[in-house]
Amino acid sequence: MALHLSVVIPVYNEESIIAQAAEELRQGLDARGLDYEIIFAENGSRDATPQILEELCSKNPRLRWFHSETPNYGVALKAGILKARGTYVVCDEIDLCDLTFYDAALPRLERGEADMVVGSKAAKGASDQRPLIRRAATRVHNKLLRVALGFQGTDTHGLKAFRREALLPVIQKCVVDMDVFASEFVIRAWREGLNVMEIPIQLHEKRQPSIHLFKRVPNVLKNVGKLFYVIRVRGT
């Protein structure tokens, strides 16, 4: 029997915050009376993250984790979604775990108002407290997606909630990895005519990014180029 909710969280070298973040999220979901699982998609960690996850999951059957050898956010997130058993899935970030997004997104899915709800850092009403350079990078990335792929939304990366059954066929079509997988997932859902809704979020991260912004740029450009070719040129 399917669970009501699966939460999928990619993690990489998160020993400093993962235990506390997992406990706060667990308590919040328990307080809401949800039937849920939390899946930690650990990928390539070189610190104590795997050992901490093993201990956490051994103590609580609602927590699951798996290991991927190579650090790759997109591959880990996709694998976690495919392992999910919930009717609804939330893709969360270990440095966010903002339960106000769950409170806003899940009722919309349950009422059939949307197939996917995207928590936007750039939508009207959002509050993005990250450093200026990272806020600017989000807008540049979104502009790139708009020009290259015709995307009409304001954000693709970060918090997402969706109906698993509706989005699994979209996941199967995704071809890129790393950070751009999250963008492809949203863009393909939108291009296939699914009801993708954006809601503004209040963003306050618990720690600095685990991978420096400028180290991401080459992979982002490569994968957006690949996505342009696959979607716009090949039409797949």
Side-chain angles (χ1 to χ4, degrees):
M1 183 176 178
L3 296 165
H4 186 70
L5 174 66
S6 293
V7 180
V8 180
I9 308 178
V11 290
Y12 169 72
N13 287 347
E14 300 287 4
E15 64 179 7
S16 64
I17 66 170
I18 192 164
Q20 181 178 351
E23 179 61 16
E24 290 175 355
L25 179 58
R26 184 194 65 77
Q27 289 181 2
L29 296 175
D30 284 347
R32 286 160 174 78
L34 294 171
D35 182 23
Y36 69 91
E37 64 178 356
I38 303 174
I39 302 172
F40 297 100
E42 187 275 311
N43 58 112
S45 296
R46 296 293 179 262
D47 63 2
T49 297
Q51 291 78 15
I52 296 171
L53 284 173
E54 182 63 31
E55 182 177 357
L56 291 173
C57 295
S58 68
K59 294 178 179 178
N60 192 318
R62 289 194 181 275
L63 309 185
R64 303 163 56 199
W65 79 287
F66 65 91
H67 171 74
S68 302
E69 189 61 31
T70 303
N72 191 314
Y73 175 92
V75 169
L77 182 56
K78 182 176 183 179
I81 293 171
L82 293 176
K83 292 177 184 292
R85 298 172 294 175
T87 301
Y88 306 104
V89 179
V90 170
C91 298
D92 208 337
E93 305 289 331
I94 195 64
D95 59 328
L96 300 180
C97 293
D98 181 4
L99 283 156
T100 61
F101 173 75
Y102 294 64
D103 294 337
L106 289 175
R108 288 172 165 84
L109 297 174
E110 292 161 353
R111 293 193 298 261
E113 296 173 6
D115 297 305
M116 172 185 278
V117 179
V118 178
S120 174
K121 303 180 289 293
K124 184 177 181 180
S127 174
D128 187 350
Q129 299 181 35
R130 297 175 303 161
L132 176 61
I133 190 168
R134 294 189 61 212
R135 299 200 302 270
T138 293
R139 283 160 174 75
V140 169
H141 180 63
N142 195 66
K143 180 67 173 179
L144 180 61
L145 296 176
R146 185 180 297 271
V147 171
L149 299 165
F151 179 59
Q152 298 300 309
T154 64
D155 202 359
T156 58
H157 197 274
L159 302 179
K160 284 174 281 294
F162 55 90
R163 293 193 302 113
R164 182 170 62 92
E165 184 176 347
L167 272 297
L168 277 180
V170 176
I171 283 284
Q172 301 287 1
K173 292 183 178 181
C174 291
V175 297
V176 300
D177 60 4
M178 306 299 283
D179 288 356
V180 182
F181 164 77
S183 298
E184 179 181 12
F185 186 30
V186 174
I187 289 169
R188 283 192 181 275
W190 167 70
R191 290 180 65 90
E192 301 224 353
L194 295 175
N195 188 353
V196 180
M197 175 188 294
E198 288 189 344
I199 60 174
I201 60 171
Q202 312 301 308
L203 181 61
H204 177 69
E205 296 175 319
K206 298 175 183 177
R207 53 99 175 103
Q208 292 296 313
S210 54
I211 299 177
H212 194 277
L213 173 65
F214 292 110
K215 291 183 178 179
R216 299 178 178 181
V217 172
N219 276 314
V220 168
L221 295 176
K222 180 185 74 174
N223 278 315
V224 170
K226 181 178 179 179
L227 204 52
F228 174 82
Y229 175 75
V230 169
I231 291 178
R232 283 293 183 92
V233 178
R234 289 176 52 188
T236 57

